[in-house]
Amino acid sequence: YCCLKPFVNFNAKHDAEVLRKAMKGIGTDEDVILMLLAARSNAQRQEIKAAYKKAFGKDLRKDLRSELGGKLEDLIVALMYPSILYDAHELHKAIKGVGTEDEVLIEILASRTCDEIKDIAKAYKKEYGSKLEKDIMGDTSGHYQRLLVILAQVKKWLSKYIYIYIEREREREHKKRVYKKIAGCDIEESIKDECTGNLEALLLAVVKCAKSVPAYFAESIRESMRRAGTDDKSLIRIMVSRSERDMLDIRAIYKKKFGESLYSTIQEDTEGDYQKALHYLCGGND
């Protein structure tokens, strides 16, 4: 369940005018911008963007980028992408930036549905003129590369691949124990025993998402805020991409698993307008 619902009495033209006013003149009214955009659904934001272009002949996303700064800018600009295009954009940035951001590839490809991945691949090709799986192959290697490509193409075969992979790795020494483990619930332990690095992280993400996508994201959010220094890139990406998908489920699991609400962890770990915007996307305290 999501908690960010379409805004009632929505008027795209009016919202576009409010945003323009907040950005015109000396200084920018960040409060108005974040309160408005974080309280609209993604589809409504796209309408506002179109109305802004029509009324003022300008690109709203570009204007927001030039008027805002820091983490608030990153979050608000992220909100302005259609959700599928946002995933495609994040994947492209992860592959084509300086060094591969493997955690982004793993998170998006392991957690999205088959239909979402098909749409992301289409959007990626349209936006960047190259195939997602081709770019992945150019930037990764080995079993890790093969699994990412499988995810980008036909995700449903992946569980089978994991089992075969682990079985082959351990076959010579203790085949029976592998079968027992795979048949039982200890697949995560098997992965930790047999794999390392990106391959281990990818396999674990796939298995966790197969069990529960909201639980996977509750854990990922926790990790992003409990590291030495908050991993704001991950936090923004998850909060933006899950706000209209399963944020209520993530919140409930987070509270149950970590004994405090997601809202209160955000309160402790962030500040200012950035914190306010994250609280909007979180949708409330539990």
Side-chain angles (χ1 to χ4, degrees), residues 6-72:
F7 188 73
V8 189
N9 302 325
F10 171 65
N11 182 326
K13 187 172 181 285
H14 174 261
D15 284 354
E17 285 163 1
V18 170
L19 288 170
R20 182 74 179 143
K21 194 179 168 190
M23 289 187 277
K24 260 176 79 177
I26 300 158
T28 301
D29 196 335
E30 280 98 351
D31 256 9
V32 167
I33 294 169
L34 77 88
M35 282 168 75
L36 192 151
L37 291 174
R40 303 296 183 270
S41 70
N42 191 283
Q44 289 175 334
R45 285 183 220 118
Q46 304 318 312
E47 286 187 52
I48 295 167
K49 197 172 151 201
Y52 190 91
K53 180 84 176 167
K54 192 178 174 184
F56 310 111
K58 293 166 84 69
D59 184 317
L60 177 55
R61 201 162 61 205
K62 281 182 184 167
D63 278 5
L64 288 165
R65 204 181 276 288
S66 67
E67 292 294 327
L68 301 168
K71 292 174 281 199
L72 180 67

Side-chain angles (χ1 to χ4, degrees), residues 7 16 22 29 31 39 58 75 97 106 119 157 164 167-168 256 268 281:
F7 188 73
D29 196 335
D31 256 9
K58 293 166 84 69
L75 191 150
I106 290 167
D119 291 341
W157 292 104
I164 291 165
E167 184 187 323
R168 278 183 186 162
K256 192 177 175 187
E268 287 165 29
L281 296 181

